[in-house]
Amino acid sequence: MKKILVVFLVIFAGAVQAQEVLQAGFKLLENGQFAEGAAFFKHYLTTQDATNKTALLCYGRGTGLSGNVTEAKEVFGKLLQRYPGDFEISLNAAEALMWCKEYAEAKRYYEKLLTEKPNDFAANLGYANALASLFEYEKALVFTEKALQIQPSNDNAKLSRKYARLGLADYFVKNQDYHRAAPLLESILSENATDKEALFAKAQLYIQLERYNEAEKIYQQLLQLTHGQTEVYLNLSYLSFLQANKPLAFEYANKAVESTATQPQKYLTARLGRITALGWNGKFKQAFAELDSLDSVFPNNNDLLIKRAGLSIWNKEFAHSVSLFKKSLRNVPSSFDGNLGVADALFAQELDDESKKYVLKTLEYYPNQKDAKDFLAKLALRHAPALTTHNFISSDKGGNASKNYQANVAFDVATALRFNVGYRRREVSNSLENNSANVQTMTAGLRWRVKPFWLITGAINVTKLEKDGAVAPFKTFDIASEFRLNKFQTLELRHNSDVQSFTAGLVGNQLSFKNYIATYNLSTPFKVGVYSQYYYTKNSDGNTRNLLFASLYYDLKATPVVKFGINYQRMTFEKRMSRVYFSPFLFRSYEVFGVSENLNVPKQKFLYQVSVAGGMQRIEDEAYQATYRASLTLGYKPSANIELTAYSLYSNSATSSVVGYSYSETGIKAKWILLKKQQY
């Protein structure tokens, strides 16, 4: 956000009047016809007066402003040799350094000139422009104001002040210092309420502040001011995506493409925006087809390569995405999208050490960049120590009640290996039988991401059962191996053992069991999914259980989640042990369910989950019974590392409790991720 003064003609009025023959050349320069002006003065110098100082100055300016900055610099250098210390020539020599983008040298040159004439308008404005080009915006504003004190109505000085304000506002936004950016933009708009650049910057500021409705009003205003500029449509498309209106985002992206009929230079940008919107809407086949067509028109284009890599992440082709992003970085090592894109694809595979390297590389190229800093925070949340607690009470219609207290601490020992230790206490009683028992469990476990497609979890538990003064210790375990078969399918194999502690009677029986569990999940690009689980259980009393659970669901909405479907459950026992626990020879249930939640939506402070289901169950040859269950979770997340939720659930399904009774549970969960100030 910088603009250098382009029309800066310093000539003596007397010289202008004395050399009427040069008037046509002056006019060309004043009208911005720099190449023509340079040709005019070159002809004059060649045919009439090779030493005319004014003509040489004007030739140098015309040459430099038309793009031949090296020759212009030489012209002014030779003039200074002829007229050493001439202030007017020195001003032009300083500006030539600006044309050559030698901003630091220009700054030093202007500082020298200002010691000679501190109140010279051109020197103050030139110095301000040099400072702005070096991103020293606050100091630049001081000198633009000084220049305007000397010439209050000078449009070039006002223009320089505007761009210094825009540059400083942009600096504040990039450093998340939003309250200091806003007044700078308002100061520009107070002078010109329709300034497009200030309006764009203000809309972007509102997006950073998540004030989306206000940002939309500004973009709608810009649509009118720009007569449908491509960038405005693309920004409206992105804003609609942020507002979770993906179909509208696609509509605006289409309008962006249509707008390029009068803005052909924006065609590729608009098409890429449309491809992005297709990705947001899950239309990957169409998006990749459009990329293929653009590849034939724009071969070896790095923007197309980066877009293909980004789409591959959304399409869960993470390894392919990494290879594409790395290929793009060989073309443009400093690419923001390339470096952070690699980090994102690696993060999705839990390759976080390598992911962090690319985030830090992004910050090397773009210091203090908000998205990269947020990414580091996301890594920190995944790997920092975490304390979780879960306390709840439960009861059923069989007189059983319990109080439960749980606490767990998890911590990394390596990026891919996380340990946890925990303590659980369960106090159970039965009001009908007038008995009670306690169960205490110490646990130590691990979570090991062996490969992107392979996860191992395990735990060892030491459990102590207490009833009627008798104490019985047990050692149990839980080990699981999860495989990501492809981008749509996962399979988990689990083997665990535990003791039945749902009721005081079960605690007294010291009944233990071993489970062999297979879980399969299929999520398709058509929003239809299948979740199924098979249990084979061996009890210490010699009984065995087979349980099959299958769910067919449809994801109506991803953010927040809205899902509904049908569930089927079939359970058999080898022996009927009805006096001890619910164990029919055959049990079947069918239900429809619906779920809505925002528990995993980023930046949500108020959390909720609502789940309802209803259906029928049949126990052996008994008549079908109506079933229902419902749960409600409400939570608060004041920051990314603290979460508190309360929940309550009720079910009259026979499988809700081990003993086959209707069941209710109410509890509180808390999570605290222990972040340091400069975590990860």
Side-chain angles (χ1 to χ4, degrees), residues 49-265:
D49 185 357
T51 62
N52 186 291
K53 176 184 173 184
T54 300
L56 284 165
L57 272 173
C58 291
Y59 171 65
R61 293 195 63 77
T63 300
L65 290 169
S66 61
N68 196 345
V69 295
T70 303
E71 185 178 347
K73 191 176 172 183
E74 291 175 359
V75 170
F76 297 135
K78 289 177 181 178
L79 274 170
L80 280 173
Q81 289 177 359
R82 188 183 303 174
Y83 305 100
D86 185 287
F87 195 79
E88 179 188 357
I89 299 171
S90 295
L91 282 172
N92 283 275
E95 192 172 0
L97 291 170
M98 295 287 288
W99 298 335
C100 293
K101 299 184 179 180
E102 298 176 20
Y103 304 127
E105 185 63 31
K107 175 187 171 183
R108 289 189 288 270
Y109 208 130
Y110 280 119
E111 286 172 345
K112 180 182 176 184
L113 293 174
L114 284 170
T115 59
E116 298 177 32
K117 293 186 179 181
N119 293 317
D120 182 84
F121 169 80
N124 277 283
L125 186 56
Y127 185 48
N129 288 329
L131 290 167
S133 299
L134 292 167
F135 312 112
E136 298 179 39
Y137 297 116
E138 290 184 277
K139 195 173 179 182
L141 283 170
V142 172
F143 283 88
T144 55
E145 292 294 348
K146 189 172 180 182
L148 282 165
Q149 288 174 7
I150 300 167
Q151 291 188 20
S153 61
N154 187 277
D155 289 337
N156 290 322
K158 290 179 180 178
L159 191 64
S160 292
R161 180 176 64 182
K162 167 192 159 179
Y163 282 105
R165 285 171 172 170
L166 282 172
L168 186 57
D170 183 60
Y171 171 81
F172 286 143
V173 169
K174 286 177 178 175
N175 287 276
Q176 298 87 58
D177 200 350
Y178 304 123
H179 73 283
R180 296 179 69 185
L184 289 163
L185 299 176
E186 293 300 339
S187 65
I188 297 172
L189 293 169
S190 67
E191 296 174 0
N192 179 7
T194 60
D195 187 284
K196 298 180 188 66
E197 289 161 304
L199 286 171
F200 265 112
K202 187 177 179 181
Q204 289 298 314
L205 173 61
Y206 280 152
I207 287 176
Q208 294 293 323
L209 294 170
E210 299 182 15
R211 293 162 62 176
Y212 298 140
N213 291 335
E214 292 164 273
E216 184 179 2
K217 289 177 183 177
I218 294 174
Y219 283 133
Q220 293 296 344
Q221 181 185 358
L222 282 165
L223 271 184
Q224 302 301 318
L225 292 172
T226 63
H227 306 291
Q229 192 176 36
T230 303
E231 284 86 351
V232 184
Y233 282 123
L234 290 175
N235 277 289
L236 278 166
S237 176
Y238 177 61
L239 182 59
S240 300
F241 167 71
L242 293 176
Q243 293 173 302
N245 193 339
K246 296 176 184 178
L248 183 60
F250 183 62
E251 286 183 28
Y252 278 124
N254 273 332
K255 289 180 179 179
V257 174
E258 292 168 5
S259 73
T260 61
T262 57
Q263 303 167 72
Q265 73 279 11

Side-chain angles (χ1 to χ4, degrees), residues 407-411 418-424 441-447 457-463 476-479:
N408 190 82
V409 176
F411 53 93
R418 191 166 178 84
F419 272 87
N420 65 81
V421 292
Y423 171 76
R424 300 193 302 269
T441 303
M442 296 293 297
T443 182
L446 61 82
R447 181 187 188 278
T457 58
I460 297 175
N461 312 299
V462 178
T463 300
T476 61
F477 63 89
D478 186 347
I479 184 166

Side-chain angles (χ1 to χ4, degrees), residues 108 166 178 188 190 228 266 278 291 345 504 509 511 526 579 587 592 672:
R108 289 189 288 270
L166 282 172
Y178 304 123
I188 297 172
S190 67
K266 301 294 184 182
L278 285 169
L291 274 174
N509 287 330
L511 179 66
F526 317 110
R579 291 187 178 182
F587 171 87
V592 295
W672 180 24

